[in-house]
Amino acid sequence: MEVSQRELETLYVQVNKFALASHFFWGFWALIQAKYSSIDFDFLGYAVLRFNEYFKTKPTVMALLIPE
């Protein structure tokens, strides 16, 4: 079974949008952990890294369109 160019481009767009959502999710999770976790880890620093990546890539990713 062959994969068409359209299917490949659709997958590319979907993966990038889910990766963007992942950055936001883990950034938010890290903020919660920074407040409530007893684990000795720089959750706030991790949140900053994830949110920075989210805001850096958001314009590019949101401009991607699923081909018709």
Side-chain angles (χ1 to χ4, degrees):
M1 185 168 139
E2 270 190 46
V3 177
S4 71
Q5 186 64 29
R6 182 180 179 276
E7 290 172 317
L8 189 59
E9 290 172 10
T10 297
L11 180 61
Y12 177 80
V13 171
Q14 290 173 334
V15 166
N16 276 280
K17 291 198 177 190
F18 277 103
L20 186 65
S22 176
H23 287 306
F24 188 82
F25 171 83
W26 288 113
F28 189 66
W29 171 84
L31 288 178
I32 293 168
Q33 294 305 308
K35 172 91 173 147
Y36 296 107
S37 180
S38 60
I39 297 171
D40 183 24
F41 181 78
D42 183 15
F43 288 109
L44 209 49
Y46 183 69
V48 168
L49 289 174
R50 294 307 289 244
F51 282 129
N52 281 345
E53 194 63 24
Y54 171 81
F55 287 111
K56 181 176 91 177
T57 58
K58 183 180 176 187
T60 303
V61 172
M62 294 309 289
L64 296 173
L65 299 174
I66 294 178
E68 295 189 24

